[in-house]
Amino acid sequence: MFNNFMFYFLYSSSVIIYGAGLNYSIQNSSKPSKLFSSFVRILFTVIITSVLVFLIEHYLLAKLNIMDLFPFAAVVVFLLVSLLLETIFRKSVQNRLNEYAFSLVCILLTLSESLTLIETIVIGSSTVLSIVLLVPVLYAIRKRIEISNPLEDFKNSSLLLITLSILSLLTLVWNVSWLNKGVLH
């Protein structure tokens, strides 16, 4: 389980590799100190929804041979859980589209990659926590870009996106088949 957690937390980060929450992380990297409640809400939403949909998949959809409907079930359960958490946290729904999109992509990634209920919880939590790791890194990169005073064409998030693409290439560079020992023999 620790290997799965570290794989989805560091190596196969949901933001860097899959692009889940890229817009959310870039927009919120300017003030990461105010994101704690958002991260907690996303974590609860992803874990609760993933567990419920996994149970629906396992006990209902698999028995009826309609596993193709699991994304629909995921969206319906996600909307219900989000509505429940919004009433508990008493927050408005405004300006949360990026948060909802990130949560839903994490849920779909979790459900498509997990085989057991424990893996569902581990993968779901590690995909959300990968953004917790990435937002301070993006904040630091953003500050370094501001200090370097780039040209006007690069004042927007383009240098940040270029840096993220380099980070994704760096994490994927180890997955090159010609580096394996068996290829050269």
Side-chain angles (χ1 to χ4, degrees), residues 26 142 145-146 150-162:
I26 287 175
R142 185 180 292 266
I145 290 172
E146 288 175 7
L151 297 172
E152 285 297 321
D153 294 336
F154 294 111
K155 287 284 185 184
N156 55 5
S157 298
S158 60
L159 277 179
L160 195 60
L161 288 172
I162 291 170

Side-chain angles (χ1 to χ4, degrees), residues 42-52 107 120-121 124-125 128:
I42 290 172
L43 184 65
F44 282 144
T45 305
V46 168
I47 290 174
I48 292 169
T49 305
S50 298
V51 168
L52 289 174
I107 290 165
T120 303
I121 295 168
S125 61
V128 173

Side-chain angles (χ1 to χ4, degrees), residues 41 86 90-100:
R41 191 172 40 255
E86 288 296 326
R90 305 255 190 239
K91 297 287 181 180
S92 65
V93 183
Q94 301 171 10
N95 300 325
R96 306 234 182 215
L97 187 59
N98 288 332
E99 185 178 315
Y100 289 146

Side-chain angles (χ1 to χ4, degrees), residues 29 135-145:
S29 65
V135 167
V137 171
L138 289 178
Y139 177 73
I141 292 170
R142 185 180 292 266
K143 289 299 175 187
R144 292 294 289 179
I145 290 172

Side-chain angles (χ1 to χ4, degrees), residues 26-98:
I26 287 175
Q27 285 181 352
N28 293 319
S29 65
S30 59
K31 295 180 183 177
S33 61
K34 298 184 179 189
L35 293 176
F36 181 73
S37 64
S38 176
F39 287 142
V40 170
R41 191 172 40 255
I42 290 172
L43 184 65
F44 282 144
T45 305
V46 168
I47 290 174
I48 292 169
T49 305
S50 298
V51 168
L52 289 174
V53 174
F54 181 83
L55 294 174
I56 291 171
E57 274 183 355
H58 187 70
Y59 292 112
L60 183 67
L61 298 178
K63 302 281 187 205
L64 297 174
N65 243 354
I66 52 173
M67 283 297 290
D68 294 336
L69 293 179
F70 96 87
F72 176 72
V75 170
V76 169
V77 172
F78 167 69
L79 290 175
L80 292 174
V81 169
S82 294
L83 183 64
L84 178 70
L85 288 178
E86 288 296 326
T87 57
I88 291 172
F89 283 115
R90 305 255 190 239
K91 297 287 181 180
S92 65
V93 183
Q94 301 171 10
N95 300 325
R96 306 234 182 215
L97 187 59
N98 288 332

